Each structure stands twice: as structure tokens, then as C-alpha cells.
Amino acid sequence: MYIISILAVIILSKFFTVGSGLFWPTDFFTLTLIVLFNFTLITSAGFLMDFNNAFRLSIPNRKHQESIQELKRAVEAVRLTVKTTLITGIFLFFFESAQIIMTLDLTEDALPSIGGMIMPGISAPIYSSAIILVLLPMESMLRLKLWNAQKAQEILPSQDPADDEEIQKANGE
């Protein structure tokens, strides 16, 4: 499901861009920076394993019951990743914009090259948004599983042992 959504974002973004070539609008340096920021912050927070488990836990599986603690940690790891991706996109946008302004030359000879300077700054929020669009359904699925697990846990311990005795007496045991 997530691979399909990633491919859909890539294909749709390709249809709405101007230019030729499959990787023309892709700025690998910006993507690498976003991934490195996410990796370092998730690792330093201790959520790397939980983020990895989030992919497994978000797939509907009726055979295996996940623990509430595991689901809470996975939700928190995905939330941290979404926040980190958003802040990274904004940071890279302002960082690239500052570099453009510092090196901007307003002579007529330099104006055609301004597009190549602007692209990395604009692509950072776009890539961040695409990553967040892929992670939001996963977060929703994990939150739903967590809610269902918490509701199931509330129902099970609330059964009173006296109720069990009444059920056994009613059944004639």
C-alpha cells in the first residue's frame, strides 16, 4: 500500500512538472539531507526500531495482537518523523533562500541561471510534503489500532469475577 502511494506521488508529480527526463525535477542532495536529518533525529531519540516496526504494525493483521506499548511507541515514532520532516523542509527552504540572496547577482547575464538556484530551495518543502503525505495514512492506521487495543483492554479487565459465577449458575454448572 505504501509503495503504491509513493509511486503515485512520484508519477503525479512527474505529470505536473515541466521538462523532460525521468529524474529531471529530482534534487538528490535535498532528498539526502531530509533523509539524514530524519535518520539522525529518530536514532538519537531512540525511535529507529519503533519507526521500522510502524511499517509492520500498520498493515492489517488479524492473527497477531500487538501490545499497546508497541503501538504507542510506533505512533510516537511516526509523529516524530512527520514533525522532523516538516521542520527540515522549512529549514532547508530558508537556508537555500538565504544562500540565493547572498549570491544573487541582478545583472542581466545572471538572470537565466536564477532558476537553477531557486530549485533546491523550493524542492525541499515539496519533498517534505510528499514524505508526510505517505506517512499520514500510516499514522492514522496505527492510531486506530491503538484505540481498538485500548478499548479491548478496557472491556476485558472490567469483567467482574462475580459476573462469572452468575453466568455459571445460570448455565447450571
Side-chain angles (χ1 to χ4, degrees), residues 49-66:
M49 187 176 195
D50 299 313
F51 182 69
N52 187 27
N53 287 338
F55 288 96
R56 176 182 55 87
L57 294 172
S58 63
I59 297 172
N61 186 6
R62 305 250 183 229
K63 296 177 185 175
H64 185 267
Q65 185 68 23
E66 298 85 6

Side-chain angles (χ1 to χ4, degrees), residues 88-136:
T88 302
I90 293 169
F91 170 73
L92 289 176
F93 172 73
F94 286 122
F95 184 77
E96 294 287 338
S97 298
Q99 283 186 332
I100 291 169
I101 291 171
M102 288 187 326
T103 61
L104 190 61
D105 184 16
L106 294 177
T107 61
E108 289 185 27
D109 296 336
L111 287 179
S113 67
I114 201 166
M117 293 172 58
I118 292 175
M119 187 202 166
I122 293 175
S123 64
I126 293 171
Y127 295 150
S128 295
S129 300
I131 292 169
I132 290 170
L133 281 175
V134 171
L135 292 177
L136 285 179

Side-chain angles (χ1 to χ4, degrees), residues 6 9 29 33 43 48 54-55 58 70 84 93 116 121 156 158 168:
I6 291 169
V9 168
F29 181 72
L33 282 175
T43 303
L48 186 62
F55 288 96
S58 63
E70 189 178 34
T84 303
F93 172 73
L156 292 177
S158 68
Q168 288 176 357

